[in-house]
Amino acid sequence: MTSITIPTGGTTGHSHEHSAAVEEAAIWFADQKEPPRPAVPVLRDRFGLSTLEATEALAMAQRFRIVRKAFA
């Protein structure tokens, strides 16, 4: 029988610093009464995000809005 080593600890490949910036951008975007358009370039410029991070922030902002409506 072969022994399998399962890695523990490690990293997900995501920086906590970047995650915090994405979350900050999502909160800011969710708080906007009239969100800026186009959203991705605005988030990239305002928060220094990559295109992928900006789209993650937009998805997170949408979830924040849904939760706020559900528990308002």
Side-chain angles (χ1 to χ4, degrees):
M1 201 153 139
T2 308
S3 175
I4 298 175
T5 304
I6 299 174
T8 57
T11 178
T12 62
H14 297 284
S15 166
H16 291 289
E17 184 176 316
H18 288 277
S19 297
V22 169
E23 186 174 342
E24 181 181 351
I27 292 167
W28 177 83
F29 196 82
D31 287 345
Q32 301 306 301
K33 186 171 187 155
E34 295 280 333
R37 302 285 185 232
V40 170
V42 170
L43 293 178
R44 291 188 69 202
D45 292 343
R46 187 175 183 106
F47 296 95
L49 303 177
S50 68
T51 301
L52 176 62
E53 290 169 326
T55 58
E56 290 171 350
L58 292 172
M60 188 181 293
Q62 182 61 26
R63 289 190 301 271
F64 288 163
R65 285 190 197 106
I66 290 169
V67 169
R68 287 176 184 173
K69 281 185 178 181
F71 295 103

